[in-house]
Amino acid sequence: MSLSTATTLKLTNLKGVGEKLVEKLNKIGVFQPLDLLFHLPYRYQDRTRIAPIGGLRFGQAVVVEAEVRAAQVVFGKRRSLVVRVQDGTGTLTLRFFHFSAAQKNQFVAGNRVRCYGEVRTGSTGYEMYHPEYKLLNTVAASPLENSLTPLYPTTEGLNQTRIRLLVDQVLPHVRQLPDYVPEVLLQKFQLPTLAQAVQELHHPSTDTRLDLFEQGQHPAQRRLALEELLAHNLSLKQLKQQAQLEPAVAMPLQGHHVEALKARLPFQLTGAQLRVFTELSADMCRRVPMMRLVQGDVGSGKTMVAVLAALQAVENGFQCALMVPTEILAEQHFNNIRQLVNPLGLGVAWLVGKHNKKIREQQLAEVADGRAAIVVGTHALFQESVHFHRLGLIIIDEQHRFGVHQRLALREKGQSSGQIPHQLIMTATPIPRTLTMSAYADLDCSIIDELPPGRKPVVTTTISDQRRADVIARVASACQSGRQVYWVCTLIEESEELQCQAAEDTAADLALALPQLRIGLVHGRMKAAQKAEVMERFKSGELHLLVATTVIEVGVDVPNASVMIIENPERLGLAQLHQLRGRVGRGDQESFCVLVYGASLSQQGKERLQVMKETNDGFKIAEKDLELRGPGEVLGTRQTGLMQFKVADLQRDAGMLDDVQWLAEQLLTYYPENVEPVIKRWIPDGEKYGKV
Ligand code: ADP
Ligand code: MG
């Protein structure tokens, strides 16, 4: 068999493979012989040597060879067959909970047995439960393995031996596997070649350090992780290139609306806001669709920058759509933006699910005939039959849970007469650099790294829920002195229903404890109109205290609210806590956030809350969050599909990302012919990011 023809070679060309086996192999992602080489073991067993019983350690999986001393059935909590064996260095118990009479009779004192199993601590000292074993008196002692035994991910009806035999048929041809990372480039990293790495992973040499494998730090693993990250990076870059091939309209800054707005603002824009707007402005001047991510900490004034970009589009006769994740936010943005741009003679429309037919039709008409210069809405903006009037810019606010393909799909939906709208994405909280470099490699990135002057950091404290009475007293005195307070109930067991229930109960309890206060409640199960009404009453100052679920997490802006109580903060990620906390500290008074943790807070939980006490810097918090919870959690579920790697691990391999970036540039410049094949190797067509 030659691997150079292996791409066309079928699995059935392998010895012992029929249609039934092909089905099973397909289930584990193996469609052609070559795929077997990249179907990598998840763990190894060491069956290369016999371990002396005297030197065993708990948790080790080892081969032991010993003489049977005694075997008996004992009736403890569970009936079991107990076999004592000895090898001259110590004794060990083999224990079987299921056994046949024939099995029991095999273990005659004096017989020699070789077994493989995991060392545990049982009632007799070290024990192995249900070890694999062979009696050596009846069969000739077979030689030990000469390399570590790989364990492969598998599926029902496909055993390890079967997979190993198949891999062994293909592995001798591993050197024919094309290496898309040329040796001259690889030298920089002191990593093995692809063939060496693949060989080593399937058949590690006996002197290989298993601990390195377990930590994912083995050079062979690192070699493949590097290539896999490279493939993902190249794929995103390619996507970006393709996305830029489509034409957009150049919308140079005319200035009349932008300057008029600036002149009307009661404050000066920060240096960072101005710089980022200049970057956006330059992008929009080009005939290439802008694809830019704006990051900024909570309260850094992203919305203002977005409105300036919107006005630049409007100055050129285009419409701008602003998409937000919730109806509450849509309404809030609608009101804020209306106040900003109506005086410039510009109309704003909004589209959300809760509108009745009449309002909806009226809004749709304003969108369609262009009376609305800016359209605010939830994702319903693009799902339904909305006819934009020369849509030139799409802004996605607070949506860092959006995947690449969703971003692109939006663009396609927003295009008119072959022109692609510019796109601007604003994150709710900062994203760690490693994630920007991988998940957002298709976007250009701007950072608003400055808060408006005079912002006082939110003072954060933690307190056990056993001191709930103190917390309630504090709420009472805060409200007495004219402050408004949020009381946030967090997610319980991932159940929205329970969470809403908890919020209702809390609101009822607080109403009893604080009869002098006016208390409102918002949660996800309320009708949008109801929610909006309560928010309005809070905003207007009529309500003292707002009990809420995490629905208020993003974007809600009530400057007079300066105290936030968060119950069971340990249930949330740090970035989410930071986002929540950002709801206070928006006015000029000093603000407080009180984290009321549950009784069973772990040590790690304490450390996490400590981070919240120590810093108000969203960038630092994001890094810490990534470290503690991993990329899937930080980016949200929609992104996780995209972050599924075979070998690489974004967190563990974060240190490689600069190398990956460099390598990608080198490949694109000097070895462009390698780009497509390396992407293909790691990202099958069906999983390309372009897929919606
Ligand atoms: P975020 O970045 O969290 O979305 P917002 O855009 O909601 O922040 O801005 C938070 C608040 O700060 C708003 O009330 C906004 O009007 C105000 N703001 C924005 N820019 C400035 C500035 N340069 N100086 C003072 N206040 C500002
Ligand atoms: Mg915002």
Side-chain angles (χ1 to χ4, degrees), residues 265-271 273 296-305 332-333 336 397-398 426-428 448 451-453 455 555-557 559 579 582-583 586:
L265 289 178
F267 47 73
Q268 296 257 302
L269 293 171
T270 63
Q273 283 173 314
D297 209 340
V298 181
S300 59
K302 294 182 289 282
T303 313
M304 194 53 62
V305 173
Q332 184 178 296
H333 276 306
N336 287 345
D397 188 22
E398 317 281 23
M426 297 193 294
T427 66
I448 308 183
L451 293 178
R455 285 278 161 79
V556 170
D557 194 15
Q579 179 66 30
R583 300 309 104 216
R586 303 193 145 237

Side-chain angles (χ1 to χ4, degrees), residues 36 39-43 150-154 160 163-164 167-168 201-203:
L36 281 161
H39 187 70
L40 299 169
Y42 62 91
R43 206 155 57 77
L151 290 181
Y152 292 96
T154 184
Q160 293 293 333
I163 301 182
R164 270 174 225 149
V167 170
D168 287 349
L201 286 171
H202 287 289
H203 277 299

